[in-house]
Amino acid sequence: MNAIKNITLTGIIGLVLLAGLCGMQDLSAQTVWLDELDLSTATQGYGVPVKNKSLDGNTMTIAGQTFERGFATHAVSSLLVLTEGKANAFTAKVGLDDEMKGHEPAVEFEIYGDGNKLWSSGVMHLGDSAKECSVALTGIKKVELVVTDGGNGNYYDHADWVDAKFETTGVTTLKTYNPIASEPYILTPKPSDKPRLTGAKVFGVRPGSPFQFLVTATGDRPMEFSAQKLPKGLKLNPQTGIITGKLHEKRTYEVTLSAKNAKGKAERKLRIVCGDQIALTPPMGWNSWNCFAQEVSAEKVKSAADAMAKSGLINHGWTYINIDDFWNNHRDSEDASLRGELRDANGKIVPNKRFEDMKGLADYVHGLGLKIGLYSSPGPWSCGGCAGSFGFEELDAETYAEWGFDYLKYDWCSYGNVIDGLPDNDPYKVSSLSYNGGGELNTAMKPFKLMGDYLREQPRDIVFSVCQYGMSDVWKWGGSVGGNCWRTTNDITDTWVSVKNIALDQDKSAPYAKPGNWNDPDMLVVGHVGWGNTHPSKLKPDEQYLHISLWSLFAAPLLIGCDMEKLDDFTLNLLTNDEVIDVNQDPLGKQATCIQTIGDLRIYVKELEDGSRAVGFCNFGAEIVDAQYSDFEKLGIKGNVTVRDLWRQKDIAEIDTNTQKLAIKVPAHGVLLYKFNSGKY
Ligand code: GLA
């Protein structure tokens, strides 16, 4: 990147000589424009860094004033520049871009030098005229340009650094950088060719509901499955491993599953609990939203289900294939495939042209040994503007059951309008999501209780996923309205800021997680994601290991959000580690919390059913953590223990926690996921 423009070498020499003659050293100072640097190393909360245009590609405009040069970004944003003592000053103007008119973004621009805050804009709003900043940088080695979310979340925060430039000493180039490693590396060992049973160790079903459970195992095919003490009413297909049938008695059954192939045989226990509660371990599967968004179709859903089977993910316990928004008709889309009657003459919901045969689709997915999920809203419209269930809750619950669906995500969306008294069917007044906490607690609970009760009356088990972004402390009452899981957060994106902020916010809801009731910090953002326009996840490899480790420690629903036909080796390595998945699926159903914080290192502990503990040494900082750890008692770990590295599936140490220390080396934005076992593993 040539930082100096329009100045020839002889010109420079001339200037330096002249400066020397006049005794004016600073005549050699040069200007390096920010937009001349590589800005792609910046991290930001949404979109990608843009040069000399706004985030959406328009002329950069702050409070009516236009600018030709600059760096457009989105909160929360950070750009690191190595100045190495060669820059004397940085000047710029900052503000929110007018392209977000009609919304209420707020941000704060900040400049750090070697970790110290040098300047801050104060909170700025849309319409504030560009603020000038000028900071001295003499002697400073590292400059960080930051845009915070201004304290109101990062919605619509299109932020501009305009006319931004460094004054440097002499001819020099400045470099931007990102301290987080970007080379993917594989940790999960290849599965053995011998059979190894995987997936959930406990399964809940209601009396009288159709039973479907797939016995999953890794190892060479063909494989033969069998079960001892399978209760009457159930049968196991020895070739596919699918158990079907019906149970009528409320009871717990201990079954021994076996898998046999040419290389050997494996056994494992499965506890079948016939009772009121389902989803006894967090649901695992795939959802269409983070990848296809409004482009979803039955063909794409089928392909995702096929890929779930073909890629081998199915052998690790991944089960649900969930259709998100846009499977039915839209109020005013220009896309003909989304237009048509919303409901038929009897009020029955009508799928759009892309989903001609819902029952056929459900049968297809079931035939693979998988399950299928659907999406609706308690309001008149879904978040994307398709028909919601308001006023038709009972009929919709019946319809989903009749089609054979196993899972419903029920998304608050336009229900805010119902509360605000706007006409139920007003097509244009579907306000932005109502983040007012849902008003009264009763108001917040009401629509979910209504649908939860109707789902419960259906002749099949339907997992109920409550989606209202964590309003009104939903974790305290989500189970009482029939929810099996509930979102604790706004929508995730594939950015470090998003994953980090969500992760740091989970402890408060942790005590409420238990079998049948899970906190949901939103879907996974690994693989090719992109809401209709996919790209490889912007998370760095270590950030992805941290993301999967944390979601496993959190006992969160694990819903893959990527294009299942573009699974690469690194992503498969993240999603097929059975020892990591076992942490998530542990039958005790506890959610990890952060027990200790040491600088940027947060240590999460999850109690497991066998008395051992899964521990995540999670590094949220930009520097590697290299330490000797000894606070075992704080983590509830005593005596002689075996330490197992779950990602590498390897015992790495035997230590006496009273006298010995454990060496930990945690990559920046990375994780060590260990299991501490008393006694031999
Ligand atoms: C909301 C939800 C998302 C997704 C979209 C669909 O934003 O939080 O997970 O379901 O609606 O429109």
Side-chain angles (χ1 to χ4, degrees), residues 476-551:
K476 295 185 180 158
W477 52 264
S480 74
V481 297
N484 296 112
C485 51
W486 41 81
R487 279 270 294 276
T488 54
T489 162
N490 290 315
D491 293 14
I492 197 168
T493 59
D494 59 323
T495 61
W496 167 243
V497 178
S498 170
V499 170
K500 175 183 168 192
N501 287 348
I502 290 176
L504 297 187
D505 203 29
Q506 296 309 303
D507 279 3
K508 58 181 185 290
S509 52
Y512 299 90
K514 59 175 189 295
N517 294 154
W518 310 106
N519 291 304
D520 174 7
D522 207 2
M523 300 174 283
L524 302 176
V525 278
V526 300
H528 278 72
V529 292
W531 299 269
N533 187 9
T534 62
H535 54 259
S537 173
K538 283 186 258 168
L539 295 179
K540 297 290 171 87
D542 283 313
E543 296 170 345
Q544 301 193 38
Y545 278 117
L546 182 58
H547 175 33
I548 300 295
S549 303
L550 278 169
W551 266 236

Side-chain angles (χ1 to χ4, degrees), residues 289 324-325 375 383-384 409 411 413 467 469 487 491 522-523:
W289 184 251
D324 208 276
D325 206 351
Y375 168 98
C383 288
K409 171 173 169 183
D411 194 350
C413 297
C467 178
Y469 338 111
R487 279 270 294 276
D491 293 14
D522 207 2
M523 300 174 283

Side-chain angles (χ1 to χ4, degrees), residues 551-574:
W551 266 236
S552 296
L553 286 161
F554 291 156
L558 295 181
L559 290 170
I560 302 170
C562 71
D563 186 338
M564 296 289 285
E565 294 186 288
K566 288 191 187 147
L567 285 162
D568 52 81
D569 288 348
F570 176 70
T571 308
L572 278 167
N573 137 81
L574 293 169

Side-chain angles (χ1 to χ4, degrees), residues 263-277:
K263 305 281 168 45
K265 187 176 167 179
E267 275 190 5
R268 202 167 89 165
K269 295 256 184 275
L270 170 70
R271 194 158 74 234
I272 297 176
V273 185
C274 182
D276 289 327
Q277 198 56 280

